[in-house]
Amino acid sequence: MIPARKHRWFNAWFAAHARSRIQGTFGAVLARGLEATRARSAEAPLLLVVNHTSWWDPLVILHASQHLLEVDGYAMMAADNLRRLPFFALVGAFGVDLDQPSDGTAAIRYAARLLDRPGRAVWIFPQGQERPSDERPLGFRAGAAQVARVARRAAVVPVALRYELAGEERPRLYMAFGEPVAVPPAPRDRDIEAAREAQELAVTAELDRIHRALGKAAGAQGLPLDVDGFRWVHRASPSGVGQAAERLLAHWTRPRAPLTPRLPGGGRGDRS
């Protein structure tokens, strides 16, 4: 297992870089449940269980930790990726080799130790690799459920991420933070499996919530301020230069009505 080497100043700089990249790429960022999750973080550490769907996910969760939730965030990452991109350790990533059971056990204990106080958060992608956001079942592994069993003080919050082209120049980013996962009672030999199933169902429900909001947005010709609890976190202004260029091109290329030929006597063509 590779421990995190979080560095305060580098974390602040890289999180600002992530926010700049996100706001420069996405036309809008919309979130649901953000305020409730931020308030919950003041009362308990957060284990944030999230689907993995895009290259953008690490930058999004870093931005969410630093600027939206305002928590001391960490994340579990594949050890091979962390060796390839070691700077992520400086923003709270710790590496685990999923093919090594002893490594997984060490990472679970490490994550549980991090979740020792309010204001702390650990993000886990239980799918282990990128998957389409509409794939069902999501295919969660049991690691996050094992962390939840050890870190009893932590609130397990399901999070859904989706990136969507919405008839606009730039894509939109949707984030949905759900209510803490309540694990159903189960025999002791099935408690991990029950927790894993509960976490997967909770994240699936948040992805379905985003899907419904997209349907309402399509019917309303663009998403209003509040649809199913989603609110704007960031909204880019349309490009004035681009809009002016489009209007000018539309004017230049608009079909012109054909001129009526003049007759030799000064009149115009047959008007019958």
Side-chain angles (χ1 to χ4, degrees):
M1 196 212 81
I2 306 172
R5 298 179 288 118
K6 196 165 186 179
H7 187 284
R8 179 182 175 187
W9 296 112
F10 184 84
N11 182 82
W13 172 81
F14 197 66
H17 168 72
R19 175 173 58 188
S20 177
R21 290 285 302 275
I22 290 166
Q23 293 182 351
T25 299
F26 295 95
V29 179
L30 299 104
R32 182 188 185 279
L34 188 59
E35 295 81 1
T37 305
R38 187 190 300 118
R40 192 168 288 115
S41 71
E43 302 171 355
L46 302 180
L47 175 59
L48 298 152
V49 183
V50 57
N51 66 302
H52 193 11
T53 188
S54 168
W55 174 93
W56 281 99
D57 294 348
L59 296 184
V60 168
I61 67 171
L62 174 60
H63 170 50
S65 289
Q66 186 78 3
H67 302 121
L68 305 181
L69 297 175
E70 300 175 349
V71 294
D72 182 17
Y74 294 79
M76 186 181 288
M77 188 173 181
D80 288 347
N81 288 338
L82 190 55
R83 293 188 187 99
R84 185 171 56 89
L85 304 168
F87 54 86
F88 274 109
L90 302 180
V91 297
F94 56 96
V96 57
D97 188 338
L98 298 176
D99 296 324
Q100 296 291 335
S102 61
D103 214 44
T105 300
I108 289 164
R109 292 174 178 167
Y110 183 82
R113 287 197 300 271
L114 289 172
L115 293 167
D116 63 349
R117 68 188 77 132
R120 278 272 182 90
V122 171
W123 298 79
I124 296 181
F125 298 97
Q127 289 169 297
Q129 58 185 326
E130 293 179 17
R131 300 279 191 181
S133 60
D134 58 355
E135 182 178 283
R136 301 291 185 272
L138 296 179
F140 276 19
R141 301 189 184 196
Q146 292 170 329
V147 172
R149 183 177 66 171
V150 178
R152 297 287 186 179
R153 297 180 59 192
V156 182
V157 177
V159 185
L161 300 178
R162 179 162 173 165
Y163 308 85
E164 186 73 16
L165 288 168
E168 299 169 343
E169 180 180 357
R170 295 201 234 170
R172 289 177 176 176
L173 163 60
Y174 291 83
M175 297 185 287
F177 294 81
E179 293 295 316
V181 178
V183 180
R188 186 168 180 81
D189 61 347
R190 288 200 67 250
D191 61 349
I192 292 298
E193 177 60 17
R196 185 204 65 77
E197 290 177 359
Q199 291 176 5
E200 181 168 336
L201 288 173
V203 175
T204 300
E206 295 307 312
L207 284 167
D208 291 345
R209 193 187 301 275
I210 294 174
H211 182 76
R212 290 194 300 272
L214 287 169
K216 294 176 183 177
Q221 297 298 312
L223 192 62
L225 178 64
D226 191 341
V227 168
D228 200 16
F230 284 92
R231 294 186 176 276
W232 302 106
V233 173
H234 161 71
R235 190 175 188 181
S237 300
S239 170
V241 174
Q243 289 183 332
E246 287 179 2
R247 287 194 295 268
L248 188 59
L249 286 171
H251 175 73
W252 283 345
T253 59
R254 186 175 296 117
R256 300 292 191 263
L259 294 176
T260 303
R262 289 182 175 275
L263 298 177
R268 294 189 179 270
D270 186 6
R271 298 184 183 180
S272 59

